[in-house]
Amino acid sequence: MFFLDIISDLELGKPGDRRKPEKRVNGVFWIILLNLGIYVADHLFKFQGIQSLYLYHNWPAWYQFITSTFCHANWKHLSSNLFFLYIFGKLVEEEEGSFALWLSYIFTGAGANIVSWLVLPRNAVSVGASGAVFGLFAISVLVKMSWDWRKILEVLILGQFVIDKVMEAAQASTGLFGLSYPLQNVNHIAHLSGALIGVLLVWLLSKTPSEPLDNEISSSPRKRS
């Protein structure tokens, strides 16, 4: 009976033990599906209207700074971005929720495109979620910031892998638009700016005043039974 009680405790937990309910993750899958859907419509079905979503630096429409983050040059470009989008998007959504994930994706992706548009030549065309991916990477690191040496080592190892693979995939799209200047320069700008904008977003949100939940509970009127 003693061993049965131990097994029961291990499997079911102790009586009265309250576990934090897991957050349901949906937002990252919708973003992935949207990226996949636009890619299929663009590259498989060849819908002409999809290319109007690209960011054309010579005369961009305002919405292209956002819509181009859901467009990709080829399958390698898309698959690499979706892989890291799932990892870091899921981390952000688990910590902050679906709305924060969508806000982070759009804010960092569009911000990276704005910086690229300001810096790059006017014959450039920008597509891809790389800026948003680097933004989500920065945000996921900051929201889980810890001085635990294992966490720091994990971030360093994963970080260099992210930079290497996303750069490689983005450079594979060089031939799509026939740009006359090295595309890796474009990627450096978009990736770095996406990460910095992610840091800025976390800093701005950290400055937003919010009352602790305990204060709200203690200050609310209680009904007597």
Side-chain angles (χ1 to χ4, degrees):
M1 291 296 294
F2 175 73
F3 292 105
L4 290 177
D5 290 339
I6 293 177
I7 294 174
S8 177
D9 287 341
L10 290 174
E11 292 179 347
L12 303 178
K14 295 180 181 180
D17 182 23
R18 296 181 179 178
R19 296 183 179 180
K20 185 179 179 181
E22 295 183 359
K23 291 184 179 180
R24 193 172 183 181
V25 176
N26 286 321
V28 67
F29 293 107
W30 285 112
I31 295 177
I32 289 173
L33 285 175
L34 184 56
N35 276 275
L36 283 170
I38 291 178
Y39 178 85
V40 170
D42 188 11
H43 295 275
L44 297 184
F45 292 104
K46 306 293 183 181
F47 290 163
Q48 295 298 322
I50 298 298
Q51 293 190 3
S52 66
L53 304 179
Y54 296 177
L55 176 59
Y56 297 94
H57 290 227
N58 57 346
W59 193 257
W62 66 267
Y63 59 84
Q64 292 175 350
F65 291 98
I66 298 174
T67 57
S68 61
T69 64
F70 297 95
C71 304
H72 289 82
N74 50 48
W75 177 251
K76 185 175 182 180
H77 188 201
L78 172 68
S79 61
S80 177
N81 278 336
L82 291 190
F83 177 76
F84 294 112
L85 171 61
Y86 172 75
I87 293 176
F88 302 121
K90 188 169 181 288
L91 288 174
V92 172
E93 187 172 11
E94 286 175 344
E95 289 293 322
E96 305 298 332
S98 295
F99 178 77
L101 170 64
W102 279 95
L103 177 66
S104 300
Y105 183 93
I106 293 174
F107 191 86
T108 57
N113 278 335
I114 291 173
V115 174
S116 297
W117 175 67
L118 292 173
V119 173
L120 298 176
R122 286 296 176 256
N123 66 332
V125 180
S126 294
V127 293
S130 301
V133 166
F134 270 75
L136 291 173
F137 169 63
I139 293 171
S140 65
V141 170
L142 292 175
V143 297
K144 285 182 170 290
M145 182 63 73
S146 171
W147 291 110
D148 185 346
W149 67 271
R150 289 162 295 190
K151 288 291 184 181
I152 296 174
L153 184 61
E154 179 183 6
V155 168
L156 291 176
I157 294 174
L158 190 57
Q160 63 87 25
F161 181 72
V162 172
I163 293 173
D164 180 61
K165 292 301 179 183
V166 174
M167 291 290 190
E168 178 183 335
Q171 289 168 16
S173 63
T174 305
L176 181 66
F177 304 113
L179 302 179
S180 58
Y181 51 88
L183 189 61
Q184 55 265 30
N185 292 336
V186 178
N187 298 331
H188 283 307
I189 294 170
H191 297 164
L192 178 60
S193 57
L196 291 177
I197 292 170
V199 174
L200 176 63
L201 180 60
V202 173
W203 181 80
L204 289 175
L205 293 177
S206 68
K207 297 298 181 181
T208 303
S210 59
E211 295 184 5
L213 182 61
D214 293 338
N215 292 342
E216 294 180 2
I217 295 175
S218 60
S219 61
S220 60
R222 298 181 181 179
K223 294 183 180 180
R224 295 182 180 179
S225 57

